[in-house]
Amino acid sequence: MTLSCIQQPHQHLQANLEDGVLTLAINRSEAKNALYGELYLWIAKALDEADTNKDVRVVILRGAEQDFTAGNDMKDFMGFMQKPHEGKAGDQPPFVLLKAAARFSKPLIIAVKGVAIGIGVTILLHADIVFADNTALFQIPFVSLGLSPEGAASRLLVKQAGYQKAAELLFTAKKFDAATAVKANLVNDVVEDPYATAQQTAQHLAALPLASLKQSKALMKKDLAEIIACIDEEAEIFMQRVRSPEMMEAVQAFMQKRKPDFSQFNS
């Protein structure tokens, strides 16, 4: 079975399979690897295919160059806001990717350099191992945009970071460094070269019995159905917030290059 991400490569996603390790590298450096509808779905498809492909034993997700991802492409998001939405919110491209990462039954390693914003952080909650370097800068900006958490972050971030740290990162929406990400259990370790460390770790795992790795992961993720349900629940709330006046103010402020003023909504 040939992986479509290799057979028909996408212009913004590099894919390389070597010795059981599939490396997916987001390649849109001019936009700090910001994601858009088609790219979300392409990465999700690559993960789904890798999950059933016998030649893939481990997946690495990373940026091609100096950033992981700046999150949702703002121009794409504004176009998305103007379209009527039908069906389940959880079927929208960002949530399709998050659910593909959550369901992935083999080891998933993420390597972070540069920015990891929005979904660039929430997808870390679905990785098995995460490495970052000292250039990494994280942010969960949803509250500052008038939005709400995605990707089961309201559940998993509390579980991994503890309630107070999760509240701090979600409520303040401030940027934080790799050392903070380690303390919040979003990152395993800060290393000099996360791409090389991810590759070495993946090669080590690829040499181990895949059945044992998958069974171990399944045992540790017995609550997978609940996590998928949480992603869908958060997606419904998120999509309601997309139409909120606070979100409209945040978008207008972005377009006008000014600080948003939410005071009119807080009385």
Side-chain angles (χ1 to χ4, degrees):
M1 187 191 307
T2 303
L3 293 163
S4 63
C5 60
I6 293 177
Q7 189 176 34
Q8 298 175 319
H10 189 278
Q11 62 174 331
H12 292 143
L13 184 67
Q14 297 175 352
N16 179 63
L17 177 60
E18 185 175 353
D19 297 328
V21 178
L22 175 64
T23 300
L24 301 173
I26 306 167
N27 185 31
R28 196 181 177 217
S29 59
E30 72 280 4
K32 291 187 177 295
N33 291 338
L35 304 173
Y36 54 91
E38 179 186 312
L39 186 52
Y40 282 121
L41 296 177
W42 199 268
I43 300 171
K45 182 180 179 183
L47 288 174
D48 286 340
E49 289 186 359
D51 209 17
T52 59
N53 190 296
K54 63 181 179 59
D55 295 326
V56 179
R57 296 190 288 280
V58 183
V59 167
I60 297 171
L61 179 62
R62 44 166 276 195
E65 297 181 16
Q66 297 305 313
D67 288 295
F68 180 45
T69 174
N72 209 44
D73 183 279
M74 187 56 77
K75 290 183 179 179
D76 181 71
F77 187 64
M78 287 187 288
F80 168 78
M81 287 173 58
Q82 295 170 2
K83 298 177 183 177
H85 302 132
E86 299 179 354
K88 289 176 54 179
D91 292 337
Q92 297 296 332
F95 312 119
V96 170
L97 172 55
L98 288 164
K99 287 189 285 187
R103 287 192 307 264
F104 191 67
S105 67
K106 301 172 183 178
L108 174 61
I109 301 172
I110 295 181
V112 180
K113 292 184 179 181
V115 297
I117 297 174
I119 195 171
V121 176
T122 51
I123 198 169
L124 303 183
L125 296 166
H126 304 289
D128 300 299
I129 301 173
V130 182
F131 298 111
D133 67 8
N134 283 318
T135 71
L137 192 62
F138 305 83
Q139 186 182 21
I140 312 173
F142 302 119
V143 168
S144 66
L145 298 172
L147 299 171
S148 54
E150 64 168 14
S154 64
R155 175 192 180 108
L156 296 177
L157 190 58
V158 170
K159 180 180 178 181
Q160 292 183 205
Y163 180 85
Q164 281 81 9
K165 178 55 71 173
E168 177 189 341
L169 299 180
L170 287 171
F171 293 177
T172 68
K174 291 181 178 179
K175 294 178 180 178
F176 55 97
D177 62 13
T180 302
V182 170
K183 291 178 182 176
N185 291 318
L186 286 165
V187 170
N188 289 74
D189 199 7
V190 180
V191 297
E192 184 175 349
D193 187 345
Y195 296 171
T197 302
Q199 185 67 34
Q200 292 164 4
T201 304
Q203 289 171 346
H204 173 77
L205 295 179
L208 298 174
L210 179 58
S212 294
L213 288 169
K214 291 181 67 175
Q215 187 63 74
S216 297
K217 182 168 180 175
L219 288 167
M220 290 191 291
K221 290 201 166 188
K222 286 183 177 179
D223 59 347
L224 178 59
E226 295 174 12
I227 291 171
I228 297 296
C230 186
I231 293 174
D232 282 333
E233 180 185 6
E234 286 185 358
E236 292 291 341
I237 299 169
F238 187 96
M239 293 305 298
Q240 293 170 17
R241 296 300 308 162
V242 164
R243 301 299 186 187
S244 70
E246 292 91 342
M247 177 66 202
M248 300 302 176
E249 166 60 15
V251 169
Q252 289 176 6
F254 173 81
M255 295 295 291
Q256 297 167 8
K257 297 182 179 179
R258 62 173 174 81
K259 185 177 180 179
D261 179 11
F262 299 119
S263 61
Q264 59 187 309
F265 311 116
N266 293 337
S267 58

